[in-house]
């Protein structure tokens, strides 16, 4: 049988060669789904398609199952074995860096940078006659190169700058690591060059002049921060003080105040765009309005349940289009309660919850019995738009669960109920790790993420993709950048004016503090306002407060409900008139995660394979 088959294959090949010999055009046939490089740059549509593909490096935005929030004190990742503990426990190194989302991953970023370089080189003298399109595509390629470099910068410090296309024939394939300052200036130069090319471009999900201004403001804010002022950083970290090449980590000379002044000016350019949503208030609005405003900002015009006008804040975002097959993200499935058949992926920590003030602006205090007995009453309205907590109202349960919870409330505790015979028994909440619905996907912390999940009851998170955009750059961040630089420069009145515009919109009273107290309140405000938007991990490091925040053990809450005398509840619901509730805050079991901070984590290690390819990096590997 084998010989028979081989003979038939031989006859087929002879026939094929005969056909080819009769038709020389056969060998010149091009694939129908591919284009050669020479074809791309003589056709405006193909050139645009090439540049648009570079955006794919943005992935799901921040909506992957494993979110950056779980590298910080914002969240705990529920599922083991994903490499997150490698970072939170400070075990990261060049050979094993742990979980790094591919939007921050070394190889992925340099792949996109190479694509941007290809576009920029070919757009210098394109083969099509459309100057406006050429300028637009060049502006987008410059912006994207800058964006990808800024993600490298805030992970690693100074990195090798690649601004041309390398081939196998290139002689200078070993590229030295550039200094931190050189990397910053390269990014800023790209953004300054992109700005006039992008003016007037306003397409959701694509680069714009406004996005270029906002990214420049962010990069210069980072550049001015304590972590990157080497004298300041060295005074706070013996690891940085002992590093042999500090120019890779920050500025070894120059005036930090000058850098803050430059950051302030860049942020002011964005503030002057006047793109804020309801940021013209002169006093706090009601708590309910504050919650609605924050929901609208978080949903970014992607839900029928909130004001679409809040989308004005988005300067650069990852959008999802319902009309496109399989488009959309599943943040509700990834993070939602297991009692809704969701996965509880990035569970909010008690550490985060404790940052939310009371509605009157005072701090929440577990040593205050009134606070401790009613921990979810009268909190900052943004809390209710961000966190799903025990007793919170939520969407309808799925059909198979509705009978067990006709009230559609989050159940993360244990509660007494009465059996049919009148016996008192314990009911494990439907959203706990002892749930009768699913007992493997529940939160460890007692909380679930609400922010970014479409509250539309028609969207069943388990099955339906949603179209909520992820904000890479938005107006409120730029305002906060302006506030921070102004505080650092001693211009406190201006800082408080803009900080309080954000608080009034949320229904919170004005901040009146000054000095270090003002800075502490600003940092808390930035955490609460930008939570889950991939800022906290970077902010805690650049402020050099990571030992007290990222290195702090995750705290969780246990909730118990005890029936009051005479109460006869058979199907549980949150009901203070029938229950006495007790709340216990404690550290997470170290068997799940044992957080530790080592100063080497101020800079994520460059991959070992990259260092092995480059002698300069081998000699000066950095962190």
């Amino acid at each position: 049988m084998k010989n028979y088959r081989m003979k038939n294959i031989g006859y087929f090949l002879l026939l094929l060669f005969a056909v080819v010999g009769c038709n020389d055009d056969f060998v010149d046939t091009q694939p129908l789904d591919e284009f050669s490089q020479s074809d791309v740059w003589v056709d405006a549509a193909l050139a645009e398609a090439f540049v648009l593909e570079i955006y794919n490096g943005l992935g799901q935005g921040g909506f992957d199952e494993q979110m950056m929030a779980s590298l910080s004190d914002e969240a705990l990742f529920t599922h083991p074995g994903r490499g997150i503990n490698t970072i939170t426990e400070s075990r990261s190194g060049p050979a094993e860096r742990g979980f790094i989302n591919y939007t921050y991953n070394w190889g992925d970023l340099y792949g996109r940078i190479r694509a941007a370089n290809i576009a920029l080189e070919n757009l210098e003298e394109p083969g099509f006659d459309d100057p406006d399109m050429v300028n637009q595509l060049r502006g987008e390629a410059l912006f994207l190169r800058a964006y990808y470099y800024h993600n490298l910068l805030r992970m690693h410090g100074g990195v090798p700058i690649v601004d041309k296309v390398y081939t196998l024939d290139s002689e200078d394939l070993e590229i030295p690591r550039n200094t931190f300052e050189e990397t910053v200036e390269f990014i800023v130069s790209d953004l300054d060059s992109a700005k006039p090319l992008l003016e007037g471009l306003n397409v959701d999900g694509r680069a714009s002049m406004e996005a270029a201004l906002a990214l420049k403001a962010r990069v210069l804010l980072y550049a001015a921060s304590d972590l990157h002022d080497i004298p300041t950083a060295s005074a706070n970290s013996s690891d940085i003080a002992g590093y042999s090449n500090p120019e890779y980590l920050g500025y070894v000379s120059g005036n930090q105040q000058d850098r803050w002044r430059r950051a302030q000016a860049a942020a002011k350019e964005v503030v002057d765009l006047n793109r804020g949503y309801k940021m013209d208030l002169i006093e706090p609005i009601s708590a309910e309005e504050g919650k609605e405003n924050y929901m609208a900002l978080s949903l970014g015009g992607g839900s029928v349940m909130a004001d679409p006008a809040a989308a004005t804040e988005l300067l650069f975002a990852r959008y999802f289009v319902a009309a496109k097959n399989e488009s959309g993200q599943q943040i509700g499935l990834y993070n939602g309660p297991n009692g809704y058949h969701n996965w509880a992926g990035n569970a909010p920590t008690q550490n985060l919850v404790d940052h939310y003030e009371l509605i009157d602006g005072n701090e929440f205090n577990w040593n205050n019995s009134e606070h401790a007995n009613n921990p979810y009453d009268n909190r900052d309205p943004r809390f209710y738009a961000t966190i799903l907590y025990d007793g919170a109202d939520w969407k309808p349960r799925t059909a198979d669960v509705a009978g067990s919870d006709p009230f559609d409330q989050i159940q993360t505790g244990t509660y007494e109920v009465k059996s049919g015979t009148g016996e008192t028994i314990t009911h494990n909440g439907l959203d706990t790790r002892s749930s009768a619905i699913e007992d493997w996907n529940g939160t460890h912390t007692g909380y679930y993420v609400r922010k970014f999940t479409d509250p539309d009851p028609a969207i069943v998170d388990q099955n339906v993709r949603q179209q909520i955009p992820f904000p890479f750059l938005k107006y409120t961040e730029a305002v906060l950048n302006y506030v921070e630089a102004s505080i650092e420069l001693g211009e406190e009145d201006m800082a408080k004016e803009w900080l309080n515009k954000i608080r009034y919109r949320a229904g919170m009273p004005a901040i009146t503090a000054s000095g270090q107290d003002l800075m502490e309140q600003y940092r808390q405000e930035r955490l609460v306002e930008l939570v889950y938007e991939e800022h906290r991990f970077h902010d805690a490091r650049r402020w050099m407060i990571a030992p007290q925040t990222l290195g702090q053990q995750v705290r969780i809450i246990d909730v118990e409900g005890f029936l009051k005398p005479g109460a006869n509840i058979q199907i549980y619901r949150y009901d203070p008139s029938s229950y006495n509730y007790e709340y216990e805050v404690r550290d997470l079991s170290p068997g799940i995660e044992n957080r530790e901070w080592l100063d080497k984590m101020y800079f994520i290690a460059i991959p070992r394979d990259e260092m092995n390819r480059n002698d300069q990096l081998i000699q000066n590997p950095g962190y």
Side-chain angles (χ1 to χ4, degrees), residues 229-238 240-241 544:
D229 183 68
I230 296 304
T232 302
S234 296
N236 288 283
S237 170
S238 59
I240 295 176
M544 301 194 76

Side-chain angles (χ1 to χ4, degrees), residues 34-53:
E34 297 178 10
F35 297 93
S36 69
Q37 183 161 308
S38 60
D39 290 333
V40 170
W41 305 109
V42 298
D43 185 289
L46 293 179
E48 183 178 23
F50 183 95
V51 172
L52 289 177
E53 201 282 330

Side-chain angles (χ1 to χ4, degrees), residues 123-261:
L123 288 168
E124 288 180 3
E125 295 183 8
F128 61 91
D129 184 20
D130 189 341
D132 290 340
M133 177 60 74
V134 170
N135 286 338
Q136 175 183 323
L137 296 180
R138 288 185 63 243
E140 290 183 88
L142 286 164
F143 173 85
L144 290 168
R145 185 168 71 176
Y147 185 86
Y148 293 132
Y149 261 116
H150 116 280
N151 271 353
L152 285 167
L153 179 80
R154 57 185 184 167
M155 280 292 191
H156 308 290
V159 295
I161 294 174
V162 183
D163 60 357
K164 66 179 183 179
V165 180
Y166 285 83
T167 68
L168 294 177
D169 298 326
S170 299
E171 295 181 357
D172 53 339
L173 290 176
E174 289 191 353
I175 309 168
R177 183 177 182 181
N178 287 85
T179 68
F180 181 86
E181 182 175 4
E182 288 169 343
T183 308
V184 168
E185 294 307 319
F186 180 77
I187 294 169
V188 170
S189 176
D190 269 0
L191 294 171
D192 284 343
S193 297
K195 175 184 169 182
L197 300 173
L198 295 171
E199 189 169 3
L201 182 64
N202 186 23
V203 179
D204 286 348
R206 295 178 70 167
S208 65
M209 181 192 73
E210 293 82 356
L213 291 174
L215 183 55
K216 177 180 176 180
R218 178 191 291 177
V219 169
L220 291 177
L221 183 85
Y222 277 60
S225 299
D226 283 354
L227 178 62
H228 303 298
D229 183 68
I230 296 304
T232 302
S234 296
N236 288 283
S237 170
S238 59
D239 279 26
I240 295 176
Y243 185 58
S244 60
N245 294 97
E247 67 273 13
Y248 295 144
L249 310 183
Y251 295 85
V252 296
S253 62
N255 188 297
Q256 189 180 17
Q257 288 294 95
D258 289 343
R259 293 192 286 274
W260 281 120
R261 183 69 62 188

Side-chain angles (χ1 to χ4, degrees), residues 296-574:
L297 286 162
S298 302
L299 297 174
S303 170
V304 299
M305 303 295 290
D307 185 1
T312 185
E313 287 253 346
L314 297 175
L315 305 180
F316 184 54
R318 173 66 166 92
Y319 288 84
F320 302 87
V321 182
K324 185 177 179 182
N325 186 37
E326 287 300 301
S327 178
Q329 39 88 357
Q330 296 181 280
I331 197 71
L333 171 66
Y334 295 156
N335 289 333
N338 58 323
Y340 286 77
H341 300 294
N342 299 318
W343 299 352
N346 302 274
T349 64
Q350 187 66 48
N351 315 54
L352 170 65
V353 170
D354 286 347
H355 279 284
Y356 287 90
E357 298 173 346
L358 299 172
I359 188 66
D360 61 7
N362 288 316
E363 291 185 5
F364 179 89
N365 187 350
W366 281 104
N367 293 321
N368 181 313
S369 60
E370 183 178 351
H371 297 181
N373 291 332
N374 304 282
Y376 307 131
D377 290 354
N378 302 315
R379 302 295 287 269
D380 182 328
R382 290 170 291 190
F383 168 74
Y384 304 105
T386 303
I387 309 291
L388 291 175
Y389 55 92
D390 185 71
D393 294 326
W394 192 223
K395 297 197 282 189
R397 298 274 182 179
T398 54
D400 61 316
V401 186
S404 300
D405 176 27
F407 312 106
D408 304 325
Q409 294 176 330
I410 300 300
Q411 300 181 10
T412 57
T414 60
Y415 327 95
E416 292 181 339
V417 294
K418 295 292 187 179
S419 69
T421 61
E423 179 187 4
T424 300
I425 59 176
T426 298
H427 167 69
N428 294 310
L430 299 180
D431 306 306
T432 67
R433 296 187 66 80
S434 298
S435 170
I437 308 305
E438 292 181 2
D439 59 3
W440 62 91
N441 273 337
T443 174
H444 287 288
T445 68
Y447 300 103
Y448 293 93
V449 175
R450 173 173 178 162
K451 183 176 178 178
F452 293 130
T453 301
D454 194 335
D456 185 349
I459 294 181
V460 179
D461 298 319
Q462 179 190 11
N463 302 318
V464 181
R465 294 176 181 266
Q466 59 179 43
Q467 276 72 51
I468 307 304
F470 182 81
F472 291 117
L473 296 160
K474 71 179 189 183
Y475 184 80
T476 294
E477 181 209 339
V479 171
L480 289 166
N481 295 345
Y482 180 65
V483 169
E484 182 174 344
S486 297
I487 295 173
E488 293 285 0
L489 292 167
E491 300 176 13
E492 293 190 351
D493 288 343
M494 183 68 72
K496 283 185 280 192
E497 176 185 346
W498 283 97
L499 192 60
N500 289 331
K501 288 175 184 289
I502 295 172
R503 287 175 63 83
Y504 293 160
R505 179 178 66 187
M508 293 296 290
I511 286 175
T512 60
S514 61
Q516 187 58 35
D517 288 342
L518 174 59
M519 179 60 78
E520 292 301 321
Q521 286 194 268
Y522 158 76
R523 290 178 175 178
Q524 176 156 300
E525 188 69 16
R526 185 178 177 98
L527 168 61
V528 168
E529 185 69 25
L530 302 180
V531 67
Y532 305 133
E533 296 180 23
E534 298 192 341
H535 292 282
R536 181 63 171 180
F537 179 68
H538 303 296
D539 285 342
R541 290 157 62 234
R542 67 183 180 84
W543 292 332
M544 301 194 76
I545 63 170
Q548 297 79 40
T549 55
L550 306 189
Q552 186 181 48
Q553 296 303 317
V554 168
R555 292 188 298 135
I556 68 175
I557 193 163
D558 293 326
V559 181
E560 292 184 284
F562 300 96
L563 284 168
K564 291 182 176 180
N568 183 20
I569 306 297
Q570 295 185 5
I571 298 179
Y572 175 74
R573 70 174 300 176
Y574 176 74

